[in-house]
Structures are given as C-alpha cells and as structure tokens.
Amino acid sequence: MSLLLGSRFSLAAAGALRAAGSSAAAALTQLHCPSGAGVAGGGTAPSAARSKSSSSGAGEFGCEDAAETMEIPGGRIPVTRALRFAGGPSEPDSPKMPCYRVLDPAGRLLPGAEQPHPPSGPELVALYEAMARLQVMDTIFYEAQRQGRFSFYMTCAGEEAAIVGSAAGLDPQDQVFSQYREHGVLLWRGFSFDDFANQCYGNELEPGKGRQMPIHYGSTRLAYHTVSSPLATQLPHAVGTAYALKLRRSPNVGVAYFGEGASSEGDCHAALNFAAVLGAPCLFICRNNGYAISTPSYEQYRGDGVASRGPPLGVPSIRVDGGDAVAVVNATRAARALAVREGCPVLIEAMCYRSGHHSTSDDSSRYRTREEMAEFRARDPAVRLRQHLDAAGLWDAARDAELRRAARVQAVAALDAAARVPKAPLSSAFEDVYKEAPWHIREQRDAALAFARAHPHVVPQGVPLR
Amino acid sequence: MLPFAALASLRGIAARGGLRAASAASALGAPAASAWAAPRRAVGTSAPAAAAASAPEHQQSAEEPRLPQRGEARKLNLCSAVNEALHVALEADDSACVFGEDVAFGGVFRATVGLQERFGAERVFNTPLSEQGIVGFGIGLAAAGGTAIAEIQFADYIFPAFDQLVNEAAKMRYRSGGLFSCSGLTVRAPCGAVGHGGHYHSQSPESYFAAVPGLKVVMPSSPAEAKGLLLACIREPDPCVFFEPKMLYRTAVEDVPAGDYTIPLGVARTLSEGSDVTLVGWGAQVLVLAQAAKAAAALPRPISCEVIDLRTLMPWDAKAVAASVSKTGRLIVSHEAPLTGHFGAEITARIAERCFARLEAPPLRICGADTPFPLVYEPLYLPGVERVLEAIKASAEY
Ligand SMILES: Cc1ncc(C[n+]2csc(CCOP(=O)(O)OP(=O)(O)O)c2C)c(N)n1
Ligand SMILES: [Mg+2]
C-alpha cells in the first residue's frame, strides 16, 4: 500500500516540479524557501519535497516530536500528540505580519532598513513628480465631476505611494490588471492628462468609445488591461496572462491590483491558488486602505489582513508600508525579481488609508469620523517622500510650486479640450460586441440610426449620426 | 406534446407571418420591433420631479425614513418603501436577518437605513465582500428555518452568486424531495438604468433568473407595490429574487399604506384599461408604457392602450395578459434588457400560442439593444416613450 502510494506521491511531486520550473535546476531551487528582501513565507517548495526541517515545520504548531511523520497524498506531515487548534479567536495575540518600511513618517531613512533595489536620486524625483501630478489631477478631475462635467470619478488620495511606487518597481511592459483606483500606474507609464480626460468624457478619442463609465481606462501600449467594474474578476486574468508570459519565456510578469474588500471575493482565492499551483509569475498587489466603501477592514476579515493568506497557499508574501514610496519600490522590485527567478506568484499588501470618499457618489462622513479622516489625511505619502527629497537636497519649495502649478494648468486644459471633442458616432455603439456584427445587430444599428434621424432631440449631445 | 396552438402558430408564421410584419412596419417608416427610443425621463407615479437623477454607486436622500403610525399612509419614494418593508419584516419575524455589502450604515442606496440601530447588529449586518458568500449564507440561514433577506449591491454584481441561486436555492426542495428547502430566502438587488451607469450599473438581468425552475422573480413599479411585493417575497415559501428599479428609488413617490400588507405574487395589475393595444412591462418600464399610452390616447386618431404591470416574472400572469390580448388583439412587451432571448420573448411566444386566433397584429417587443449597456448612448439604447409610441402606431395600423 505505502509503496503504491509512494509512487503516486512522487508522480505528484514531479508534476509540481514540472509546473513550477522549466528545468530540473530551476525546479530544484524551489526546494529552498525564497529569501529575497524580507519576503515572508515562501511556499514555492512542492509539499512532497518538504522535509521536517522546512521553515513551516512542526515547531510552529507546538509539536514536540517532529521526528514522527505521517504520509499523505502529496507529502509528509508531522505527527503530534497534542490536541491543539491553530489560530482563531482564542489566539487574539498571535503575532502580526510586520510591515516593511524604509522611510519613517517624517521621511527620514530608518537606520538599517534593507534596500536591495534603492531608487536613484533621479528616480526618486520622478516618483515624487508623478505622485504630485496624480494629486493635482485627482483634485481637478474630482472638482470637474462635482461641476457635472462627467458622471463619476474616483481619487486615490492616501494611496499614491502604493500605486506609483509599485508602478515604478515594475517593468513598463509588465501586464497590469487593475481594480479601478490605480490610475497612477497609467500616469507613471505615460498616459497623459488628455488621455484621462478623453476617457472621462467618453469622447471619440478614447479607446473605449464612451461605452464605459469614467475611470475605466485601458491601454495596450502601456500594458494596462481595460478596467472592468465587477470586483476581483481581473485577478484570475492576471494569473492566466502571467502563465502565458512564462510559456513564451517572456521576461515580463502579470500584475494584479486589488483592494482588501475585493480580497473577499471567491475570484481572489482562486487566483492566488491558481498562481501558486501553476507557478505563474504574477504579482498580487493589494491596496489595503481600510475600507470597502463603508465597510471597515475589520468587518472584512478576522485574520491578519491579506498578506498572511499568501504563505499557506504557497505564495511568498510581504506587507509593506503603503505610505512609504521607497519601501514600495524596493518591495515591488524584489517581488518581481523573485517571481521571474522562481516562476512563482508574490503577494504584496500595501497598508494605506483611503483618504478620500469611496467615489464621487459617496459621502464617507456617514461612516467614519472627521477626526479619523483628519488624522490619516495628515499622513500624505507625497509629503513624506518630499521631506526625504528636501533633506537630500533633491527638491525644494519653488520646484514644488512650479510642478503643481503647471500640472493644474495642464489638467484644466486637458478637460477643456476633451469636452470639445465629439463623441464616437452612434453606429460605433453596435461595434465590438462580436468581431463581426451579426445580422440582428446590424439590423438594430440601422433601426437606431433611422430612429435617431427621425427624432434628433433624443440624440445625446455630441453624438454624430453615422 | 406541443399544444395545437403552438403548431398552428408555427405554421402561421411560415405561411404569412414574419416577412409581412417586417415590410408593413417599415412601410410606416419605423420597423416596429426595432423602433428607437426617446430619452427616458424620470417619471413618478405622483411626484415626477421628486429628485435629481441618481448616482450610480451611491444615492443620498435628504429624507431618512421614519416609521409611520399604524393606519397612516404616507408619501414615500420607492427606496423608503423598501426600507419600511424591511422594518415590518424584521419586526414581525425575529428570525429575519438583513445582510449584504454596506447594509449596516444604511446601504449605498440608503434602503437599509436605521435597521441596524433598531434591530441590532446580530440581525442586520455587513458581510464580507462576496456575492456568492452572501447568497450561499442566506440559503443556509433559510434552510435552518430562518428568514434571510440578502442584499446584492447592484444586480450587475449578482453573477458571482449565480451558481448559488441556480444550482442551490432553485433546486434545494426538488433535489431533496422536499426534505429541505430555502423558502425563507429573498435576494434584493437594485437593477436597471439610471442614465449614466454604463455596463455595470444598469443591467436588468431578471430573465436569467426567470428561466430557472425553482426561483420566483419579482420587480415592482411603484413604492406601494414595492412594499407589498417585497413583504410577499419575504413570506413566500420559495426563494425569491426581488429586483428594485433603482431609477425609481427617488423619482417614484406615492402614498404607501402603513403597516404590514402583501401583494400576491403571480398576479399582474392593470394600470389603465384600453381596447386597441395591450402594453406589458414591469419595473420602471411600466411608467414608460403608461406615458406612451397617454401619448397614444392624445394622437389625432387616438389609440386606446391597456397597460399591464406584470409585477411577477415567474410565475407570470399569462391569464391576465391573454385576457387583455383577447380583447385588444394586439400586444407590445417592453423591457430594458436586450431584445434577444429575454423575457419579452417568452411572453410574446406564449401569447401567440394562446391568442393566435385573436391577434390582429404580430406581438412586438420594444427592448434594449443586443449590446452591453453603452454609457454615452443610453438614451438611444433604452426603449423610451417615443419608441414605444412608434410601436403602438405600427401595431394599430398593421
Ligand atoms: C462584484 C462586485 N460587487 C460589488 C461591487 C460594488 N463595489 C464597488 S467598489 C466596492 C468596494 C471595494 O473595496 P476595496 O476592494 O477595498 O477597494 P477600494 O475601493 O477600497 O479601493 C464595492 C462593494 C462591485 N463593483 N463588484
Ligand atoms: Mg479598500
């Protein structure tokens, strides 16, 4: 019996190795828990090959006699005589996963903070400039929405460092699947204020042709998959893309951004598990900003946040201070290197605070106190980085004022220009449902055009009747 | 066995149906089945201009609902009427729970305002953000004899729960031979267009659920209707999906009876009687049909329309519709969901079978287009008053 099982186990183990790496050498490196830049966990080792000396061995669970083991399909597990439950409410003081940080809240370098991939001076300046421009754009676009210029907007205040910092840690061609609050990644990659404004206005210059709500950006050039409102659906997509990249030996990775609220969706678990099992080089970047609309994170989960879910699934994971741009850059670069080297997913949880309302449709004073908001808003991630730059002599108040002034002018000009651009013609609403429009859609398009010509007053402003 | 009427109607269509219908309609300058929409204005049953257009994610209302005294009827909008129904349900049944994303602070549309304060966090609570979790949890709560009133924040986001609804809730009684059921499950979901919701804050997915044996599907068209129908769903001994037209949350205002009352499921209501054309709809579309009927009555050669609010899609009141069509000889069904394969198809097919000999014109469907919901083009996508009016004329003059 055990012989028979044994052979099945080794098959399973071989399968796991095959999936995890293309060569035996690559596979072998997986037996060691990755140890880059403070990355915790490291379940890339196929369980069949895990020995009692592995880091997640018996000691952690209070097992005295770790020499005794039990064979199960897929490997061995330690045996214990103690009847003990792991985790749960009886362990409220169980250790929390620490948060990796490089800059203190005042922007000073923390002595001894590891920086395996320190951003250079010019990189830091570019990082700050993007964060500042993002803030200016958010403020002006938010105001434009309040004035009724378009129907919806979302800001990322409080999460600028997590978003732009992670973007700066990626290769520009890494395939990004965002949730909706990560427009800073696009900004970093070169999406212009005009591009943003065109999408919000839904005019003919935006690739989505006005079909989706504002903030649903997308760009093939910038490897940014078009935003889709249903939460967490993009996470398995990122894994599939990461797998495809690995198949074709691409040096790029898949990147899945999501909120801590979205992490409760079934798709999130599926994605993490798929990525681990199939060995997909995919970065999961969770923005834990404390809220999912009105729901505070303590009503979202009882465990230690999101990062702690990675290691048990076999996903190396790290928690990082999402207000610390330098820490986010380092963590993202290290995670990326690990994912490419090991052919595995990596989970990053960036601890932030959603300083703004959920969206222009939300009034967060209904569910959180002004004091709380004021206290967290004071921790502006851009200011923190700026203090660091100021101290290093890389930035000053005059440059700052000029950068923000110029950005304001540009953002307003972009909105004004976008408002003047016509919408895509009516017929375009019937394109792209399928590659080729079947008869019934062609029929409906023709009928819509005829109806619109007969009733011009029902045609939305700026929509050409073609 | 295919009923005789069905065979007859098949033969009829082959012999003289579709083609003539199409050419006759286009001779009128507007192929009736695809005549296009006027922008859908906010319409209310008694206070049309009550509120500004709603925001897609959150709607804020100035008025927070307060509970009326017994016997008193008061003017409420549809959102407050839903809120009142939930108060009544929680008051009457202490096994009842209300839960979903963001319901604790009152819900993104404010439909659950005040419930947690009044009934406690054990019975009114936020769930983690997972629709499959919400509905699956509700099924279990109901299977244990509880009353589960689950909120899905937007009907567009009900699909992660599709498996739970289709394979679990709908089949629980059947697969266990009646040993188990989730009678006490009601899933509420705001649906439909608001004018700027785009793909994922606009959809009307009712027909997907109406096609599942075992689920009851309801959509109200006014505040008083919403309260009575929601309470009926909550007490119905079958799992119900209750779609709330969010366009009407603020814009539809009328007198809503106080206290506890139900409106029976499966029974349509006739909004206005007429002799020439039967108009069938549900939810916000009923108000569009009522406006179109008014406009048709005001034409130089007036057309008299009978407007039927189906209220329940499953089981739907075929008897009422057939009786009306037997009188008028003409049928128009209208819904926001796409034309092809949605519930208008079921109604027109069934009525063609039942009323074949009485029909004076082909039954027509005036619906959304077979595309995703296109933000910029919403006024043209929706089956508005003018498109319905064109169809009424085409049908009457057929
Ligand atoms: C499947 C699905 N359910 C519900 C919603 C409605 N919704 C939009 S955003 C949101 C909260 C998301 O919170 P989180 O993931 O933490 O992201 P954050 O907004 O904090 O960035 C909800 C419930 C949705 N878009 N999709
Ligand atoms: Mg969040």
Side-chain angles (χ1 to χ4, degrees):
Chain A
M1 177 66 186
S2 94
L3 240 179
L4 215 167
L5 280 175
S7 63
R8 273 232 308 282
F9 294 168
S10 45
L11 269 180
L17 291 175
R18 215 172 34 248
S22 50
S23 71
L28 271 174
T29 62
Q30 309 243 333
L31 300 184
H32 307 288
C33 291
S35 57
V39 173
T44 46
S47 55
R50 207 177 254 163
S51 74
K52 60 190 178 206
S53 63
S54 95
S55 66
S56 58
E60 207 174 295
F61 294 101
C63 174
E64 300 82 25
D65 185 8
E68 209 177 323
T69 61
M70 181 178 124
E71 200 170 26
I72 54 157
R76 290 197 152 269
I77 50 173
V79 164
T80 179
R81 280 145 226 222
L83 195 162
R84 223 167 271 158
F85 298 99
S90 62
E91 293 184 13
D93 302 323
S94 55
K96 299 244 187 285
M97 188 183 269
C99 194
Y100 167 65
R101 174 184 269 185
V102 176
L103 298 181
D104 76 5
R108 289 174 301 237
L109 272 176
L110 283 176
E114 290 178 18
Q115 282 212 66
H117 306 275
S120 66
E123 279 176 337
L124 286 171
V125 170
L127 194 56
Y128 174 74
E129 286 179 342
M131 286 165 66
R133 283 168 51 80
L134 183 59
Q135 290 184 332
V136 170
M137 180 180 102
D138 266 0
T139 307
I140 286 175
F141 278 45
Y142 186 85
E143 270 317 305
Q145 194 286 331
R146 300 319 280 172
Q147 293 166 12
R149 296 237 224 159
F150 38 85
S151 58
F152 185 77
Y153 194 70
M154 274 178 148
T155 67
C156 63
E159 303 173 55
E160 300 91 337
I163 295 162
V164 183
S166 59
L170 298 174
D171 180 274
Q173 279 306 307
D174 287 341
Q175 299 289 319
V176 168
F177 294 75
S178 78
Q179 180 159 307
Y180 47 60
R181 216 182 285 285
E182 299 88 355
H183 45 296
V185 176
L186 274 173
L187 187 91
W188 175 261
R189 288 182 174 191
F191 216 58
S192 68
F193 286 174
D194 293 305
D195 294 329
F196 287 111
N198 288 334
Q199 200 286 329
C200 288
Y201 271 97
N203 66 29
E204 69 172 3
L205 294 179
E206 77 106 349
K209 303 170 196 175
R211 295 171 189 157
Q212 285 213 82
M213 279 171 61
I215 72 129
H216 289 63
Y217 313 108
S219 168
T220 44
R221 182 174 64 89
L222 302 177
Y224 196 91
H225 292 249
T226 301
V227 175
S228 172
S229 325
L231 289 166
T233 48
Q234 80 280 14
L235 304 181
H237 304 172
V239 178
T241 288
Y243 191 84
L245 291 170
K246 183 167 147 180
L247 268 187
R248 69 174 81 125
R249 309 280 184 267
S250 159
N252 287 109
V253 299
V255 185
Y257 282 96
F258 59 111
E260 89 294 339
S263 79
S264 294
E265 290 281 6
D267 275 350
C268 182
H269 179 268
L272 285 165
N273 195 39
F274 265 59
V277 170
L278 299 171
C282 184
L283 303 193
F284 290 89
I285 304 182
C286 177
R287 299 173 290 99
N288 189 337
N289 60 11
Y291 285 91
I293 307 188
S294 75
T295 305
S297 55
Y298 60 79
E299 292 187 9
Q300 202 63 246
Y301 48 73
R302 276 298 133 85
D304 181 19
V306 175
S308 68
R309 293 176 214 168
L313 287 169
V315 180
S317 304
I318 188 169
R319 179 174 270 167
V320 57
D321 181 344
D324 176 352
V326 180
V328 175
V329 174
N330 274 287
T332 308
R333 285 178 177 167
R336 201 186 169 283
L338 175 61
V340 171
R341 191 174 71 239
E342 310 282 351
C344 69
V346 182
L347 169 60
I348 299 174
E349 181 184 24
M351 308 309 289
C352 317
Y353 184 78
R354 198 196 74 211
S355 294
H357 301 305
H358 170 70
S359 72
T360 47
S361 309
D362 178 38
D363 169 10
S364 59
S365 69
R366 284 182 190 277
Y367 52 81
R368 55 183 183 182
T369 63
R370 289 191 191 292
E371 297 74 57
E372 175 192 307
M373 282 180 78
E375 190 194 319
F376 277 94
R377 203 170 260 172
R379 308 184 194 174
D380 182 330
V383 171
R384 184 157 161 194
L385 180 58
R386 204 196 123 179
Q387 286 169 328
H388 178 64
L389 294 179
D390 282 348
L394 292 167
W395 196 253
D396 58 54
R399 279 179 79 177
D400 201 63
E402 174 52 23
L403 173 77
R404 288 176 184 264
R405 189 202 58 78
R408 265 193 299 276
V409 172
Q410 269 179 32
V412 170
L415 289 172
D416 288 344
R420 287 193 295 270
V421 177
K423 306 289 189 255
L426 178 53
S427 57
S428 79
F430 296 85
E431 289 164 5
D432 300 329
V433 182
Y434 303 95
K435 185 92 173 72
E436 299 288 343
W439 63 268
H440 66 293
I441 293 189
R442 294 199 306 269
E443 205 175 276
Q444 290 174 23
R445 176 199 60 204
D446 295 345
L449 278 166
F451 182 83
R453 288 194 183 108
H455 303 85
H457 62 282
V458 306
V459 179
Q461 235 195 341
V463 173
L465 288 189
R466 282 183 269 120
Chain B
M1 203 182 83
L2 208 56
F4 175 74
L7 286 172
S9 73
L10 280 177
R11 254 187 280 116
I13 284 166
R16 64 170 190 97
L19 277 179
R20 208 185 70 198
S23 52
S26 48
L28 294 167
S34 46
W36 227 252
R40 258 267 302 288
R41 221 145 281 129
V43 281
T45 45
S46 58
S54 42
E57 290 265 339
H58 276 206
Q59 305 201 351
Q60 266 107 41
S61 71
E63 82 275 32
E64 305 270 295
R66 46 168 188 110
L67 273 190
Q69 302 307 306
R70 215 162 253 295
E72 178 193 350
R74 18 170 228 152
K75 284 214 184 315
L76 292 179
N77 64 29
L78 195 144
C79 185
S80 304
V82 165
N83 182 269
E84 213 174 86
L86 296 173
H87 271 97
V88 170
L90 286 161
E91 191 75 66
D93 168 5
D94 57 20
S95 84
C97 293
V98 169
F99 51 89
E101 293 155 17
D102 300 296
V103 304
F105 93 118
V108 298
F109 289 102
R110 318 307 296 147
T112 55
V113 159
L115 295 176
Q116 190 180 62
E117 289 83 338
R118 177 147 175 158
F119 299 100
E122 219 173 42
R123 295 177 58 203
V124 179
F125 48 91
N126 285 343
T127 64
L129 207 172
S130 166
E131 292 74 16
Q132 66 192 95
I134 292 167
V135 173
F137 174 91
I139 290 172
L141 202 153
T147 298
I149 308 170
E151 175 176 306
I152 298 295
Q153 200 164 79
F154 284 85
D156 309 72
Y157 304 134
I158 201 169
F159 298 108
F162 204 53
D163 187 39
Q164 288 290 350
L165 282 162
V166 173
N167 282 331
E168 301 306 323
K171 298 173 178 52
M172 183 173 277
R173 177 180 293 116
Y174 195 81
R175 72 162 180 251
S176 69
L179 288 181
F180 296 95
S181 83
C182 53
S183 311
L185 175 70
T186 302
V187 177
R188 299 175 39 242
C191 73
V194 291
H196 45 78
H199 297 0
Y200 303 111
H201 298 84
S202 306
Q203 295 176 81
S204 294
E206 66 273 12
S207 63
Y208 300 130
F209 299 91
V212 180
L215 296 179
K216 292 193 169 165
V217 180
V218 175
M219 198 192 293
S221 64
S222 84
E225 290 279 311
K227 183 175 170 188
L229 287 168
L230 178 53
L231 281 166
C233 282
I234 291 168
R235 279 92 188 247
E236 187 72 9
D238 285 304
C240 294
V241 187
F242 187 79
F243 289 107
E244 299 167 5
K246 57 186 182 289
M247 177 59 132
L248 303 185
Y249 270 157
R250 313 268 169 254
T251 59
V253 181
E254 69 180 356
D255 276 332
V256 176
D260 197 341
Y261 68 95
T262 58
I263 296 173
L265 302 190
V267 181
R269 75 168 170 146
T270 303
L271 248 78
S272 59
E273 298 202 352
S275 52
D276 298 331
V277 184
T278 300
L279 309 180
V280 176
W282 49 91
Q285 195 61 16
V286 171
L287 306 183
V288 175
L289 296 182
Q291 283 197 329
K294 237 183 179 168
L299 287 171
R301 280 167 53 198
I303 303 170
S304 160
C305 296
E306 183 143 303
V307 179
I308 296 182
D309 172 4
L310 210 53
R311 290 170 159 166
T312 305
L313 277 98
M314 191 52 64
W316 67 282
D317 193 348
K319 206 170 133 201
V321 179
S324 174
V325 174
S326 295
K327 183 173 69 175
T328 61
R330 295 178 182 85
L331 171 65
I332 295 172
V333 186
S334 185
H335 55 63
E336 287 182 11
L339 174 74
T340 302
H342 284 266
F343 210 66
E346 167 63 24
I347 297 173
T348 49
R350 180 73 64 180
I351 295 303
E353 284 171 16
R354 289 210 184 176
C355 305
F356 182 65
R358 288 287 306 122
L359 285 172
E360 306 279 351
L364 300 176
R365 289 169 293 156
I366 306 301
C367 304
D370 290 325
T371 71
F373 221 95
L375 181 84
V376 162
Y377 311 93
E378 285 188 28
L380 284 160
Y381 176 96
L382 287 168
V385 174
E386 297 194 33
R387 233 173 95 202
V388 175
L389 188 60
E390 298 267 2
I392 293 171
K393 289 193 250 176
S395 181
E397 292 163 20
Y398 178 77

